[in-house]
Amino acid sequence: EIVYNAIDGNMLTVDKLLKAKELEDLIANDPEYESFCLRQSGTESCQQPVTIMQACIPALCGYLQNMVGPQPPTPQLGCGPANAMGLTPASDCSPVKSVPPGAFQCTNPGGCSRDQWSIDQAFLDAKFESYSGARFALDFPETYVLASVDSQFGAGDSRASALHSKFTFGFPLAGYESVDDRPEEQKSKIHKWMGDAFFETLDTYNSQHAGQSGFHIGYRGGDLAQMSIDALLAGDFSFVGL
């Protein structure tokens, strides 16, 4: 788990989010990431991280809302009319019902690669103004955004001093028969990979670049993670950890 804490009290700016995405790219783009991530049920695809550093798939606009809401599917706040597949696609990630929710833009109906995501302040301001009126555990997919921001955000306030991202890893790893097959060895492999791929980079960032980028980072995720999130954060984020 990673927490970004803004020095000036607001993480929701283009420059800060671009830098946070750059840091999360180190995990998502690592060639070994798919060897360690928790799989979606019944698939070989990695479970989506809980983070606002992502762009939607426009064709899925309204998907989550329609799964828990009225049937048959109906248009959802900017999504289009229902198609033959029962989806209500949009042309981009502007609608608040875009799936997955996030701070980045994509204009390809089937989704964009991470290097194709875009962001500008006008898009960001409009998107998070929409998110700020959402109700936790009642409005989907907005609830996933609310789970990633601190309690300052909401009730019309579209600022957030801290953001929380969570990447989930799972067992058994490739080459092991089950979670009980040499469990300490499996755990050690994940810790080593995270240390090599990410933790050292975050330590370097905090010591050398935090002042320039405008935020500090706290993280947890194994024996190699020595930095305490609690030293950086207060309020709702004081309990964050694995």
Side-chain angles (χ1 to χ4, degrees):
E1 300 198 17
I2 312 157
V3 177
Y4 307 94
N5 190 42
I7 294 172
D8 65 1
N10 185 25
M11 275 296 303
L12 298 178
T13 67
V14 169
D15 289 346
K16 293 189 188 77
L17 293 176
L18 281 171
K19 184 60 181 181
K21 176 190 174 294
E22 179 184 327
L23 293 168
E24 294 192 8
D25 283 346
L26 294 173
I27 295 180
N29 291 339
D30 189 284
E32 293 190 272
Y33 174 56
E34 293 187 358
S35 298
F36 297 108
C37 68
L38 183 65
R39 302 291 194 272
Q40 297 182 41
S41 179
T43 76
E44 291 299 313
S45 301
C46 292
Q47 187 177 98
Q48 284 282 348
V50 179
T51 176
I52 67 168
M53 265 62 74
Q54 59 185 348
C56 80
I57 300 173
L60 296 182
C61 189
Y63 173 77
L64 286 180
Q65 183 68 14
N66 282 322
M67 290 304 98
V68 299
Q71 296 294 328
T74 57
Q76 299 291 334
L77 296 181
C79 300
N83 61 19
M85 298 175 62
L87 300 176
T88 53
S91 59
D92 62 21
C93 297
S94 298
V96 71
K97 297 299 183 182
S98 296
V99 178
F104 288 81
Q105 176 66 289
C106 170
T107 57
N108 179 27
C112 301
S113 60
R114 295 181 72 91
D115 62 346
Q116 294 174 323
W117 298 354
S118 63
I119 188 173
D120 61 61
Q121 197 63 49
F123 170 80
L124 186 65
D125 289 344
K127 195 68 180 286
F128 278 84
E129 181 178 356
S130 297
Y131 285 145
S132 70
R135 301 163 298 171
F136 185 75
L138 293 176
D139 294 321
F140 291 90
E142 300 97 308
T143 284
Y144 298 110
V145 172
L146 299 182
S148 299
V149 297
D150 67 4
S151 60
Q152 173 184 343
F153 185 86
D157 190 339
S158 56
R159 298 168 299 164
S161 60
L163 303 177
H164 166 221
S165 294
K166 182 177 181 180
F167 288 78
T168 305
F169 303 95
F171 301 105
L173 302 182
Y176 296 85
E177 293 183 357
S178 69
V179 295
D180 297 320
D181 181 7
R182 294 162 286 165
E184 291 304 316
E185 184 176 308
Q186 293 189 62
K187 182 179 177 182
S188 177
K189 283 188 174 183
I190 285 186
H191 289 169
K192 183 179 187 308
W193 175 72
M194 285 298 293
D196 293 343
F198 202 56
F199 292 158
E200 291 180 9
T201 298
L202 294 190
D203 284 340
T204 300
Y205 167 85
N206 273 329
S207 62
Q208 299 181 13
H209 306 294
Q212 299 173 4
S213 298
F215 60 90
H216 294 285
I217 301 171
Y219 61 90
R220 287 186 182 171
D223 298 338
L224 295 178
Q226 299 300 315
M227 175 177 285
S228 171
I229 289 177
D230 297 333
L232 290 175
L233 304 169
D236 289 354
F237 281 88
S238 64
F239 62 84
V240 171
L242 287 179

